Amino acid sequence: QVRLAESGGGLVQPGGSLRLSCAASGSIFGINAMGWYRQAPGKQRELVASITRGTSTNYADSVKGRFTISRDNAKNTVFLQMASLKPEDTAVYYCNADIRTSTAWHTDYWGQGTQVTVSS
C-alpha cells in the first residue's frame, strides 16, 4: 500500500504565502515524477507544477515566478512554496506521484487534497 499525505493548506490573504508538503509512504521502491494539481469549484483539475526525480521542473503559466516546487528524495516528499497568492489560486490542491512498487514500474497515486483559500 502506498499513501500520499498532504499538509500546509489554509486561509491566506492576497499577496501572502503558503507552503504545501506531501509525503509518500508505504511499499515504495522508487518515485519518478511528483507534482501538484489543483481543482477550483466548477473547473477541471489542472497541473500546477511537476518535478522529475532529477529535479527538472515544469510550471503552469499562471504560477510561473510565484510558485516553486521542490522535493526531498531521501524523505519521499514534495513541496510547493506559493508566494504572491491571488484569489484565483483558491482551490483544492492535490499531490500526485508516479511510484515504482514491487509489482509495477509506474503507478499514479494521489493525495486526498488540501484546501487553499486566498481571501481578504
Side-chain angles (χ1 to χ4, degrees), residues 43-76:
K43 295 188 177 181
Q44 289 189 331
R45 189 174 297 190
E46 63 175 357
L47 174 68
V48 176
S50 63
I51 184 168
T52 67
R53 185 170 180 83
T55 68
S56 293
T57 59
N58 180 52
Y59 295 94
D61 287 343
S62 59
V63 306
K64 282 181 181 176
R66 300 188 298 121
F67 291 10
T68 302
I69 190 170
S70 61
R71 63 190 285 175
D72 183 337
N73 289 331
K75 296 182 178 180
N76 291 338

Side-chain angles (χ1 to χ4, degrees), residues 15 22 39 63 77 81 89-90 103 113 120:
C22 173
Q39 187 167 18
V63 306
T77 300
Q81 180 68 48
D89 294 318
T90 296
T103 58
S120 55

Side-chain angles (χ1 to χ4, degrees), residues 8-112:
L11 173 64
V12 63
Q13 292 187 341
S17 299
L18 278 177
R19 188 188 195 217
L20 306 183
S21 299
C22 173
S25 61
S27 300
I28 297 171
F29 277 42
I31 302 180
N32 304 305
M34 304 184 81
W36 290 94
Y37 288 72
R38 67 185 180 187
Q39 187 167 18
K43 295 188 177 181
Q44 289 189 331
R45 189 174 297 190
E46 63 175 357
L47 174 68
V48 176
S50 63
I51 184 168
T52 67
R53 185 170 180 83
T55 68
S56 293
T57 59
N58 180 52
Y59 295 94
D61 287 343
S62 59
V63 306
K64 282 181 181 176
R66 300 188 298 121
F67 291 10
T68 302
I69 190 170
S70 61
R71 63 190 285 175
D72 183 337
N73 289 331
K75 296 182 178 180
N76 291 338
T77 300
V78 63
F79 306 96
L80 186 68
Q81 180 68 48
M82 303 185 292
S84 302
L85 282 160
K86 305 175 181 180
E88 50 264 43
D89 294 318
T90 296
V92 177
Y93 283 70
Y94 296 91
C95 173
N96 171 265
D98 174 6
I99 293 178
R100 182 164 64 94
T101 65
S102 62
T103 58
W105 282 94
H106 297 279
T107 303
D108 249 4
Y109 289 90
W110 292 89
Q112 79 284 357

